[in-house]
Amino acid sequence: QIVPGLCIRKVERYSTLYRDGSLGVSMYVVLHGSVALKSFDGGSVVNVGVGACLGEEAYWCVHEASDTKASSSTSAVSIKLQQLMRLSDATAGALGATLLAIPRETVPQPLLWDVHRRVAARLLAEHSGKLFSSIIYSTLVGRMGTNDVSMLETVGGLFQFSHVTTDQVICKQGDYANAFFIMLRGSARALVWLPTKPRRAIHVGSIKAIEGGREESGSRYFGEAGLIAASKDRSELPVRTASIVADEPCHLLVLPRSNYAAFNRLLPGVDEHFAHAKAIQEELNQTKRASAQTVEKIFSSDEPTPEGSAIGKHKKWEKFQEMRAKEKRENRRLQLQGAASKSSTSSGAAPTAAGHKWGKLRTVAPLIGAGSHT
C-alpha cells in the first residue's frame, strides 16, 4: 500500500523544503545530504543527516468531537480542530539533499495515529511551558502503558491542534468549560466583561509563549476548570469566568471534553497538580509585583527616607553621582577658559589678513591639547 506512492525528491543546496506554518502532505526520510531545521519557537537550528525523518506533522489525525462546542443554551464559540501545521523551516545543507517522500494518503490509519501520538508527546514534553511540562515529567515520563506504548504518547494521542487568528475569541465568558488549551505559539489576553451598560471589559491577565519555549508571564495553559471538575466526577461542567482573545496568530493544543475521562485516568489527582502549579505561579507573581513596587518607590518617591534604608542609600548614591558630574563639568569649563586666555596672550596682536588662517590655528591648538589631557 505504501510503496506505490513513494517518490524521490531532490532539493538544491540552501533551498527550502518547506516553511513553518504551511500544511504538509508528506513525511520525508533523508537519503543523502543534510537538512537544517529551525524550530517554530525560535530554538537553535538542528541539522539532520542520512536516515533521519522529518515532516511528521503531515500525519496528524484530526478527530472532530461533537462536544467541543459550547451548549446551545449559551452564546457558543467553537474551536475548529485542524491539521497540524509545519513546526519548523526545513532547508537543505551545503551539499543539497535527496529525500524519500511518503505521502499521507498511502499510510494506513493505525500508523498515522502512532505518528500523531509521538508528535503530540514531543510537543507536550518540550513546548508546553515549565509548569505543565513539570506535571508531565513527574507523572508520565518513563512509564509504559499497554502494547509497549509510553504513557506520554498515550496522553499525546488525546490532544488535537487548532490555529486561531488575531482578535479571534478562543473561549468566551459564560460558555461551558468543554476544552483545555495549551499555547504553543502566540499570545492572548484574558478579559472579564462587567455587567454594565454599555458593557465594559477589564484586562485580568495574559497567556504568552515566547522564543525558546519559555513563558513570559503566567502559565501557557488555560481552561483547566472543566478538566478539574471532570476529575471530581461532577455531572455538570463549570462555565468560563473570562474570555480569552488572541493578540496574534496562535498555535494551540486542545484537549476536548470527550477525552477528559481518559486524561484523568492517565493522570490521577490532576486537580492537585494544577493547584500546586497555581501556587508556584502565584509565588512568582508576588515576587515580581514586590520587585516592581520597590523599583517604583526608589525612582518616584519624593518623601524623605532614612539614610540607613535601601531607598535612602540609593538616593544618597544618586546625589553623589550628580555632584561628581557637576564638578567634572565645572573643571572642564575652567580648563577651556584658561587655555583660551593663554592662547590669546601668546598670540599678541590680531593676525594680518595674510596670516589670519595660521593665527586661527594657533588659537585652537592649545584647546586641542588641553582637551586631550582631561
Side-chain angles (χ1 to χ4, degrees), residues 36-278:
L37 299 176
K38 184 178 181 181
S39 178
F40 72 97
D41 68 347
S44 59
V45 176
V46 177
N47 291 293
V48 296
V50 176
C53 297
L54 59 147
E56 302 97 323
E57 304 96 335
Y59 289 0
W60 189 268
C61 299
V62 180
H63 176 65
E64 290 283 1
S66 59
D67 55 359
T68 56
K69 296 184 178 181
S71 171
S72 58
S73 62
T74 64
S75 53
V77 172
S78 62
I79 287 293
K80 184 179 180 182
L81 304 180
Q82 302 162 342
Q83 173 70 34
L84 181 63
M85 297 179 174
R86 299 288 195 190
L87 298 177
S88 60
D89 291 328
T91 307
L95 300 177
T98 303
L99 305 110
L100 177 66
I102 311 173
R104 174 191 174 92
E105 61 268 17
T106 64
V107 179
Q109 191 66 27
L111 183 56
L112 291 178
W113 272 108
D114 185 54
V115 177
H116 173 116
R117 287 193 295 266
R118 296 189 181 205
V119 173
R122 188 176 72 235
L123 291 175
L124 289 175
E126 300 177 4
H127 303 284
S128 60
K130 294 180 181 178
L131 294 180
F132 191 78
S133 62
S134 66
I135 297 174
I136 292 295
Y137 274 98
S138 62
T139 56
L140 296 177
V141 171
R143 294 175 56 193
M144 300 299 293
T146 57
N147 301 325
D148 292 332
V149 178
S150 72
M151 298 285 282
L152 182 56
E153 291 178 9
T154 304
V155 170
L158 304 176
F159 280 84
Q160 292 290 307
F161 174 79
S162 181
H163 173 77
V164 297
T165 56
T166 305
D167 291 330
Q168 182 176 342
V169 177
I170 301 173
C171 56
K172 190 173 182 180
Q173 181 179 340
D175 285 353
Y176 287 113
N178 53 13
F180 169 67
F181 302 92
I182 297 175
M183 182 78 71
L184 296 177
R185 166 193 266 176
S187 61
R189 59 191 181 274
L191 302 175
V192 172
W193 290 90
L194 303 177
T196 57
K197 292 185 179 181
R199 294 198 69 191
R200 187 169 64 90
I202 56 174
H203 184 278
V204 295
S206 299
I207 304 102
K208 186 169 185 179
I210 61 175
E211 291 188 356
R214 303 181 303 273
E215 53 265 26
E216 189 174 75
S217 60
S219 60
R220 288 169 61 177
Y221 64 82
F222 56 96
E224 68 274 16
L227 187 59
I228 294 174
S231 70
K232 297 180 179 179
D233 297 326
R234 294 178 183 171
S235 57
E236 285 195 15
L237 293 176
V239 296
R240 308 282 190 194
T241 57
S243 296
I244 307 295
V245 183
D247 288 329
E248 58 185 314
C250 299
H251 290 353
L252 300 165
L253 280 182
V254 184
L255 179 69
R257 176 187 175 182
S258 57
N259 292 336
Y260 279 0
F263 185 89
N264 286 322
R265 283 196 300 270
L266 293 168
L267 275 84
V270 69
D271 55 332
E272 296 178 2
H273 292 298
F274 280 126
H276 181 64
K278 186 177 181 180

Side-chain angles (χ1 to χ4, degrees), residues 319-331:
K319 287 182 179 180
F320 176 69
Q321 292 287 74
E322 186 178 348
M323 287 176 60
R324 286 193 62 184
K326 188 175 180 180
E327 288 177 0
K328 285 184 178 181
R329 289 195 299 269
E330 183 65 20
N331 291 336

